[in-house]
């Protein structure tokens, strides 16, 4: 299959090049890593520890395997359709436009709430360091800072991403070095063991997958790399490579840090109460190095979530809104691109406004927000896997059954099982959101604004 590169790609799909192309493989890998946050387990370690009965690294390892199948599906669809919009574009072109809208609507729940969740997590972490400052003040400051950076253009966002990534990795290295030293010295009874990977006395498949429904939140973000397709140089294969590479690197870091942390709380399979669970990683840090490391980790969680992660989350969400508005599935004012900075200016401002309002409303409600984010992302992943089979095997009649049938089927089964074990409140809220999306879709159809990808499909067929 011949695949053109550069700005000609978009013209084949009926779009003009409006966003600035300046992202290379390394930029996308950094973007994905910052979105997933290398130190993400710091904030939810206790919850995953309780749910998995101490087998946190095993949970993350299974989560990595589950996400690899989804990442491969993203890779295949990003090669076929190198446009912004992520799973909205892939399901719409791979299955049918109405399904694409529902996929975009589902992941919109994730993308709209992720910045809010991150601001709330950051404000909560800063409250443990500076308790005299109301959490609402931190949220307002985080939103303003990220909006200014995103409005300045993709180059500014790239530079900020690199700074934040280096800072997070530095904190992680400090923790790993001190944790290894503490375990080797037997601090608190810690000793080297593989029980966190497999404890036969506690292991059960439902147990691990229930924990995975919590831990999967840490992996969400690798998919957002695909929203930057129209700002990438080097051809459409770059997005797929960056997706897999970022996922592999972050998964290794997740497993390493949770294994060491699990070894530092020997002899237990759950923390005694909610406070101990919420502060588990901070308490571990204080045990191995004193209060100073606890403060450093709390600040790192706040900066990593509320600034670094929220920065790229706002960028990804604005690109999804831009893509759906360009196809007349959302209000047209969202497709406005700043002529100088070449960023979707109004979409960025809308995401900032929504994040601010929701963040102030949901202060302290981390678990509810996390569950809703998971539902939106996992539902869209299911439709992504279906789109791979539909596009490659049914529409294009390829015989690549391994990549385009076996992989998406396994990915669909794993994601479906995790979604089935998700929090009941998240499932109810998510289904209500999808029902609202169905109503919006019907209204758009009645107004004659149903999108068609026939020209795009014809362009792809010509390249085979």
């Amino acid at each position: 299959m011949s695949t053109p590169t550069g700005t000609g790609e978009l013209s084949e799909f009926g779009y003009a090049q409006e966003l600035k192309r300046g992202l290379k493989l390394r930029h996308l890998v950094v973007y994905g890593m910052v979105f997933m946050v290398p130190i993400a387990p710091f904030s939810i370690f206790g919850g995953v520890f309780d749910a998995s009965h101490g087998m946190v690294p095993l949970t993350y390892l299974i989560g990595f395997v589950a996400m690899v199948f989804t990442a491969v599906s993203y890779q295949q669809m990003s090669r076929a359709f190198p446009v912004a919009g992520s799973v909205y574009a892939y399901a719409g072109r791979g299955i049918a436009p109405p399904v694409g809208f529902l996929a975009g609507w589902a992941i919109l729940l994730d993308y709209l709430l992720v910045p809010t969740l991150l601001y709330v997590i950051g404000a909560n972490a800063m409250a443990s360091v500076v308790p005299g400052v109301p959490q609402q003040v931190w949220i307002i400051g985080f939103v303003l800072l990220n909006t200014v950076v995103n409005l300045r253009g993709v180059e500014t966002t790239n530079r900020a991403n690199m700074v934040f990534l280096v800072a997070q990795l530095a904190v992680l290295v400090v923790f790993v070095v001190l944790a290894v030293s503490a375990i080797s010295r037997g601090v608190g009874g810690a000793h080297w063991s593989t029980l966190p990977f497999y404890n036969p006395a506690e292991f059960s498949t439902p147990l691990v997958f229930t924990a995975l429904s919590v831990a999967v939140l840490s992996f969400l973000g690798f998919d957002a790399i695909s929203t930057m397709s129209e700002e990438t140089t080097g051809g459409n294969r770059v997005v797929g490579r960056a997706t897999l590479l970022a996922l592999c690197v972050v998964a290794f870091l997740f497993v390493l840090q949770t294994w060491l942390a699990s070894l530092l709380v020997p002899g237990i399979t759950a923390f005694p109460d909610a406070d101990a669970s919420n502060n588990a990683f901070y308490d571990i840090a204080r045990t191995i190095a004193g209060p100073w490391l606890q403060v450093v980790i709390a600040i790192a969680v706040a900066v990593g979530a509320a600034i670094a992660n929220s920065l790229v989350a706002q960028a990804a969400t604005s690109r999804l809104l831009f893509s759906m508005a360009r196809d007349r599935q959302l209000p047209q004012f969202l497709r406005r691109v700043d002529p100088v900075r070449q960023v979707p200016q109004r979409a960025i401002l809308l995401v900032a406004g929504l994040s601010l309002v929701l963040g102030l409303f949901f202060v302290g409600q981390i678990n509810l927000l996390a569950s809703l984010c998971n539902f939106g992302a996992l539902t869209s992943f299911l439709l992504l896997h279906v789109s791979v089979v539909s596009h490659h095997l049914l529409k294009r009649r390829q015989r690549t059954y391994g990549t385009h049938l076996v992989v998406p089927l396994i990915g669909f089964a794993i994601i479906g099982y995790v979604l089935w074990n998700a929090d009941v409140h998240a499932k109810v809220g998510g289904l209500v959101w999808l029902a609202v999306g169905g109503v919006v879709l019907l209204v758009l159809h009645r107004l004659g604004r149903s999108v068609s990808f026939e020209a795009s499909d014809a362009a792809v067929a010509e390249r085979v």
Side-chain angles (χ1 to χ4, degrees):
M1 183 175 66
S2 162
T3 305
T5 59
T7 59
E9 288 178 343
L10 284 183
S11 63
E12 293 182 2
F13 292 91
Y15 301 129
Q17 181 67 49
E18 298 178 84
L19 304 178
K20 185 174 182 179
R21 288 190 182 272
L23 302 179
K24 298 180 180 179
L25 177 64
R26 65 178 183 276
H27 300 132
L28 293 178
V29 172
V30 170
Y31 178 89
M33 290 181 65
V34 171
F35 207 134
M36 285 183 280
V37 186
I39 58 173
F42 283 8
S43 59
I44 63 172
F45 174 80
V48 181
F49 188 94
D50 292 342
S52 65
H53 291 193
M55 291 175 283
V56 185
L58 173 64
T59 302
Y60 276 105
L61 195 58
I62 295 175
F64 165 66
V65 174
M67 292 299 107
V68 161
F69 291 103
T70 301
V72 171
S73 289
Y74 265 106
Q75 181 187 50
Q76 297 303 308
M77 296 307 287
S78 67
R79 289 178 178 178
F81 304 107
V83 296
S86 188
V87 70
Y88 155 71
Y90 304 153
R93 291 170 169 84
I95 307 174
V99 180
F101 175 85
L102 291 177
W105 187 264
I107 205 165
L108 198 58
L109 176 64
D110 171 33
Y111 281 11
L112 287 176
L113 290 181
V114 160
T116 301
L117 170 63
L118 297 170
Y119 292 134
V120 171
I121 289 176
N124 182 71
M126 290 306 298
S128 67
V129 179
V130 190
V133 179
Q135 294 188 33
Q136 291 85 347
V137 174
W138 291 111
I139 291 175
I140 294 172
F142 292 146
V143 172
L144 290 176
L145 175 61
N146 284 345
T147 302
V148 170
V149 173
N150 268 316
L151 287 175
R152 288 184 61 83
V154 70
E155 293 93 345
T156 303
T157 304
N158 286 337
R159 288 192 291 270
N161 286 342
M162 183 59 72
V163 171
F164 292 136
L165 179 60
V166 171
Q168 290 180 56
L169 292 177
V171 173
L172 184 55
V173 167
V174 170
F175 170 77
V176 168
V177 171
L178 294 176
V180 168
S181 174
I183 296 169
S184 299
R185 291 182 285 111
V187 173
H191 59 278
W192 295 105
S193 169
T194 59
L195 281 180
F197 285 101
Y198 179 68
N199 185 344
E202 301 290 339
F203 179 85
S204 72
T205 300
L207 174 76
V208 173
F209 274 86
T210 298
L212 183 57
S213 67
V214 179
V216 74
L217 178 67
S218 302
F219 288 103
L220 300 185
F222 73 90
D223 54 295
I225 292 175
S226 62
T227 65
M228 311 301 286
S229 293
E230 293 181 26
E231 294 159 272
T232 302
T233 62
N236 52 14
R237 294 179 179 270
V238 173
V239 172
R241 291 171 184 166
T243 301
L244 284 171
L245 185 55
L247 180 62
C248 291
V249 173
V250 170
F252 169 77
L253 297 177
F254 286 172
V255 172
L256 175 62
Q257 65 192 271
T258 56
W259 177 47
L260 296 176
S262 298
L263 293 177
L264 287 162
V265 284
I268 65 171
T269 56
F271 292 101
D273 52 48
D275 286 340
S277 178
N278 291 336
N279 296 314
F281 216 101
Y282 304 133
D283 292 339
I284 291 172
R286 186 174 63 250
T287 299
I288 64 176
W292 71 268
L293 184 58
Q294 178 185 10
V295 173
V296 168
I297 286 181
I299 294 176
V301 168
V303 174
I307 299 180
N309 198 351
S310 296
L311 180 69
V312 293
Q314 186 184 49
T317 307
S318 65
R319 270 61 175 184
L320 177 60
L321 294 176
F322 162 78
S323 180
M324 295 183 73
R326 182 175 59 185
D327 289 331
R328 302 175 68 225
Q329 303 298 283
L330 290 177
Q332 289 293 286
F333 80 91
L334 291 173
R335 67 160 297 167
R336 162 74 177 175
V337 174
D338 183 270
V340 177
R341 303 292 183 183
Q342 292 181 277
V343 295
Q345 176 182 357
R346 294 177 181 175
I348 290 173
L349 292 173
L350 177 63
V351 175
L354 288 173
S355 298
L356 179 60
V357 173
L358 293 174
L360 295 176
F361 181 79
F362 285 107
V363 168
Q365 301 185 51
I366 296 176
N367 291 334
L368 175 60
L369 286 170
S371 298
L372 288 172
C373 290
N374 284 349
F375 182 93
L378 295 176
T379 301
S380 67
F381 290 170
L382 292 179
L383 294 175
L384 168 73
H385 289 302
V386 175
S387 70
V388 173
V389 177
S390 174
H391 174 68
H392 289 280
L393 298 186
L394 301 182
K395 289 188 175 182
R396 295 176 60 180
R397 300 189 180 280
Q398 293 180 313
R399 296 293 179 265
T400 47
Y401 296 112
T403 304
H404 299 139
L405 180 61
V406 176
V407 168
L409 280 180
I410 295 175
F412 186 95
I414 296 175
I415 296 298
Y417 192 80
V418 174
L419 191 58
W420 181 262
N421 286 279
D423 180 77
V424 64
H425 296 98
K427 288 188 280 191
V428 171
L431 290 174
V432 170
W433 175 260
L434 289 179
V436 173
V439 173
V440 173
L441 183 61
L442 290 175
V443 171
L444 290 173
H445 179 73
R446 293 292 299 271
L447 294 176
R449 292 174 56 183
S450 299
V451 68
S452 173
F453 296 129
E454 292 178 359
S456 302
D457 292 340
V460 172
E462 290 176 0
R463 298 190 310 180
V464 178

